[in-house]
Amino acid sequence: MIFKAVANYFDAVISLAGKGAPARILDVGAGGGVVSLRLAKANPDAAVVGIDYALRQVRAANWLKKKEQVLNCTFQQGNAMALPFSEASFDRVVSINSIKHWPDPAQGLSEIRRVLRPRGQAFISEADRSASPEELLAFSENYRAWYIWGALMRWILRNVVFGKSYNALELKTIAGRAGFSDTVIQAVPGPFFLLVLTK
Ligand SMILES: C[S@@+](CC[C@H](N)C(=O)[O-])C[C@H]1O[C@@H](n2cnc3c(N)ncnc32)[C@H](O)[C@@H]1O
């Protein structure tokens, strides 16, 4: 299953992003809300906001929030290109597997930098375009959906998901263009990478 394949990767990002008791956390490209809700549960004193461009995803996230009865998390529609928040309003920003979809990643990172408080941190993770065929094969063993034939799934992973993404150095360069000069590339489980950007 898909979540089994990414479980350790999600755990690593969520745990790193929660260090130091942040009070306000923003999740950009929150999708169905799984990561935002886990961040909220792991940081009960924090207020977590998940935004996503797709209204369908915001509805799904709100459904999950209700089902899991999480009170310290809200979801709203929003575009990473123009975040609907004022300057310095978050201690942390998290974005998992979303930035490869943004039309202008430097604009999105510059928006993230704007809404972070001074010395606030962003945790941006993505599928690694430079992952080796062996790493992708190992990952695809755990990444199965009953409705997609295995070989087709591997093709999609290689050519669509990973092939259209970035590698860590490419994204670090883009982060530099967005004004982040303090960037650490952090290893995470699986064929992914995490950038920790400090304002
Ligand atoms: C692959 S999903 C990842 C969802 C979630 N972060 C996760 O890891 O489970 C990518 C999400 O990014 C959202 N997205 C794409 N472009 C966006 C944009 N410009 N602004 C906000 N969200 C965007 C999509 O709607 C989608 O829900």
Side-chain angles (χ1 to χ4, degrees), residues 25-183:
I25 306 173
L26 172 66
D27 181 9
V28 182
V34 171
V35 170
S36 306
L37 291 169
R38 288 198 46 203
L39 276 165
K41 284 187 260 184
N43 301 278
D45 294 329
V48 177
V49 182
I51 71 150
D52 200 282
Y53 189 67
L55 191 54
R56 179 178 53 84
Q57 295 281 47
V58 177
R59 289 204 187 104
N62 271 320
W63 177 85
L64 192 60
K65 166 189 151 98
K66 200 169 166 193
K67 179 168 173 261
E68 298 192 353
Q69 301 185 336
V70 181
L71 298 179
N72 60 327
C73 184
T74 57
F75 294 100
Q76 66 185 77
Q77 192 177 17
N79 191 342
M81 299 299 95
L83 291 173
F85 306 105
S86 49
E87 278 169 33
S89 43
F90 292 94
D91 303 301
R92 300 279 153 78
V93 178
V94 174
S95 184
I96 296 187
N97 296 354
S98 182
I99 196 167
K100 66 177 167 304
H101 301 291
W102 303 354
D104 183 346
Q107 167 66 16
L109 289 177
S110 131
E111 276 293 275
I112 285 174
R113 193 168 184 281
R114 181 181 66 76
V115 303
L116 272 175
R117 67 156 166 79
R119 302 303 297 161
Q121 287 186 310
F123 296 75
I124 312 293
S125 65
E126 253 308 349
D128 183 357
R129 194 170 73 82
S130 298
S132 68
E134 294 74 25
E135 284 172 309
L136 282 188
L137 185 63
F139 176 68
S140 71
E141 293 298 312
N142 283 320
Y143 192 102
R144 286 179 195 280
W146 61 268
Y147 47 88
I148 304 185
W149 172 51
L152 176 61
M153 176 62 99
R154 282 195 293 282
W155 187 91
I156 293 171
L157 280 177
R158 194 173 50 249
N159 295 291
V160 181
V161 181
F162 287 78
K164 297 222 182 308
S165 190
Y166 304 96
N167 65 35
L169 286 177
E170 286 166 344
L171 208 51
K172 183 175 174 175
T173 303
I174 293 170
R177 290 213 303 272
F180 283 107
S181 52
D182 181 347
T183 301

